[in-house]
Amino acid sequence: MYRIMIVDDNKTNLIMAKKALEDTYDVIPMSSGVMALEFLKDMPEPPDILLLDVDIPDINGFYVISEVKNQKRLEDMPVIFLTAQDDDATEIEGYSLGAVDYITKPYTTMLLRKRIDIHVQAIETNRQLKAANKALADAVNNRTHNVIELEYAIVEMFASLMGHRSNIIEGHSRRVENYMTIFIDELSKNPKFKIEEADKQIIVFASKIHDIGKICMTDRCLADMGDLSLQEKEFNHAHTILGAEAIKKVTDAVSANKFLTYAYNMCRSHHERWDGKGYPDKLMSTNIPFEARVLAIVNSYDNFRTNNDGQEPMSHREALTRIKFWAGTHFDPELSEIFVALDSKINA
């Protein structure tokens, strides 16, 4: 059972928050910041989440979070501020000190519960990813699998996690895999691109987990119907970095190979643009890894045909026209021409 520590000097608020959560979580109520810090120091295992009032008489919430973030064993514990103050300065100060959320009083018990549920889900997903990384590292160290088996394991493990998180990600991943198979097979026939036969399947496997970072996104960001706030859009963009960092942790544990290199490049760079206006690194033209340039076209084609940023999905013909129009700005113009020429094979 997840443990939630609530720090609030107002007895009524403390009781209300405790009752809202205690049927699902192990709740630890604290009426002062000093008491909370002492308790945290002596706990064998820290709480999973700290709900912290800003306006505490003895020491305020900003002091408490500063002390928490300065302790190695507590620094990763998510801190959510509870406060009656609704000014921007207070909120910005809280986030700058490391808070992950900010709930303004008065709040309903339903709102509090939902916000906590969302953060617990994120914690659980992160633990699953860490367990997956550890399992893969242990497998390599013990030589229980060969390289090909590990590549399948990584793909299937992450694909399973993505499927549990969102059917949207799972369906997109499956279609991207199919389109990549067709596209890579066509590109491998051109000696200019120097795609070895053995690499074709590796690139396709790796493309299947290009959106692994989206596991950490909120439900609204996952749905992305075109009405996200600027902050949500920036968090949405961060899925490229989150996915790449997940792959990098495996690479750090077992050393890089072609599969991990392709997976990392595609996770991080599939939203880069030929003209340098993409994200997260503003890479330009051939500075973008080849496999990421290939995936960028396939990824966009499927997005055009399905969610299309909240607009009406495009037809096959409209999607190809958009790719042709964006060649030289968003996409590698030579790769775009080859993809558009595939036409009926893509739409089979």
Side-chain angles (χ1 to χ4, degrees):
M1 180 180 288
Y2 284 92
R3 288 185 296 175
I4 315 294
M5 177 180 284
I6 308 170
V7 184
D8 197 321
D9 65 299
N10 185 301
K11 188 175 181 180
T12 301
N13 289 340
L14 199 59
I15 292 173
M16 185 181 78
K18 184 176 185 296
K19 286 186 175 180
L21 302 173
E22 63 184 359
D23 59 331
T24 303
Y25 303 111
D26 181 11
V27 179
I28 308 169
M30 292 284 154
S31 60
S32 80
V34 172
M35 184 187 303
L37 288 176
E38 286 296 323
F39 204 82
L40 287 168
K41 184 176 66 174
D42 295 333
M43 290 180 72
E45 292 292 332
D48 297 290
I49 293 176
L50 175 61
L51 278 172
L52 180 60
D53 186 17
V54 173
D55 302 311
I56 314 172
D58 51 359
I59 53 174
N60 68 25
F62 293 150
Y63 179 85
V64 174
I65 191 174
S66 297
E67 289 296 301
V68 165
K69 295 302 178 182
N70 282 330
Q71 296 183 47
K72 186 69 176 176
R73 61 186 294 272
L74 301 176
E75 63 181 0
D76 293 329
M77 178 177 59
V79 178
I80 300 173
F81 274 122
L82 301 171
T83 180
Q85 299 182 35
D86 60 357
D87 59 289
D88 291 344
T90 300
E91 189 169 352
I92 291 170
E93 177 70 9
Y95 284 126
S96 67
L97 289 171
V100 298
D101 206 348
Y102 190 97
I103 301 175
T104 304
K105 299 177 183 178
Y107 53 81
T108 65
T109 56
M110 186 177 297
L111 172 64
L112 179 64
R113 176 61 179 271
K114 182 62 177 175
R115 297 279 274 272
I116 294 300
D117 288 346
I118 289 171
H119 285 284
V120 166
Q121 184 181 57
I123 292 170
E124 179 61 27
T125 298
N126 187 51
R127 289 179 179 177
Q128 289 179 358
L129 286 173
K130 287 182 178 179
N133 288 333
K134 185 179 185 303
L136 289 171
D138 289 345
V140 173
N141 291 335
N142 295 328
R143 299 180 181 275
T144 57
H145 299 287
N146 62 34
V147 172
I148 299 299
E149 288 172 332
L150 280 172
E151 292 168 358
Y152 273 105
I154 292 172
V155 170
E156 294 307 317
M157 189 177 299
F158 284 148
S160 175
L161 287 171
M162 290 189 292
H164 286 301
R165 182 68 178 88
S166 168
N167 290 331
I168 295 174
I169 303 177
E170 184 180 40
H172 174 65
S173 174
R174 186 179 65 253
R175 292 188 299 272
V176 163
E177 181 184 23
N178 292 336
Y179 297 142
M180 283 290 285
T181 299
I182 298 167
F183 199 12
I184 289 294
D185 185 62
E186 183 67 21
L187 292 174
S188 68
K189 298 173 185 177
N190 189 327
K192 177 179 180 179
F193 298 114
K194 300 177 181 179
I195 301 175
E196 297 180 13
E197 187 65 27
D199 286 353
K200 289 166 57 177
Q201 193 60 58
I202 298 175
I203 295 173
V204 172
F205 285 158
S207 73
K208 193 173 180 180
I209 57 172
H210 71 280
D211 271 340
I212 185 64
K214 288 188 175 180
I215 287 179
C216 302
M217 290 164 53
T218 64
D219 291 341
R220 261 180 58 79
C221 288
L222 280 177
D224 190 2
M225 300 307 292
D227 62 342
L228 299 180
S229 67
L230 179 60
Q231 184 179 21
E232 287 172 321
K233 287 179 181 179
E234 289 176 351
F235 186 61
N236 194 341
H237 289 179
H239 80 272
T240 55
I241 298 173
L242 293 170
E245 287 304 307
I247 299 300
K248 185 176 183 298
K249 288 180 181 178
V250 180
T251 305
D252 290 343
V254 304
S255 74
N257 60 26
K258 284 186 176 181
F259 170 75
L260 293 173
T261 299
Y262 290 145
Y264 179 89
N265 288 341
M266 285 191 279
C267 278
R268 189 174 186 99
S269 301
H270 67 279
H271 282 293
E272 298 290 355
R273 287 176 37 163
W274 185 257
D275 61 8
K277 296 179 181 179
Y279 62 86
D281 302 308
K282 304 294 183 184
L283 299 180
M284 190 175 196
S285 65
T286 55
N287 287 325
I288 305 169
F290 170 76
E291 57 272 19
R293 282 182 273 143
V294 173
L295 177 60
I297 296 171
V298 169
N299 182 65
S300 293
Y301 173 80
D302 186 63
N303 285 334
F304 295 155
R305 296 296 311 279
T306 53
N307 66 307
N308 196 24
D309 291 330
Q311 304 299 313
E312 187 71 17
M314 295 181 182
S315 67
H316 166 68
R317 185 63 52 205
E318 289 170 332
L320 289 186
T321 300
R322 176 67 63 82
I323 288 171
K324 190 174 181 179
F325 181 72
W326 281 359
T329 54
H330 290 65
F331 309 125
D332 182 323
E334 187 173 17
L335 294 178
S336 299
E337 183 178 358
I338 295 170
F339 184 83
V340 169
L342 288 169
D343 197 341
S344 59
K345 291 183 179 179
I346 294 295
N347 198 37

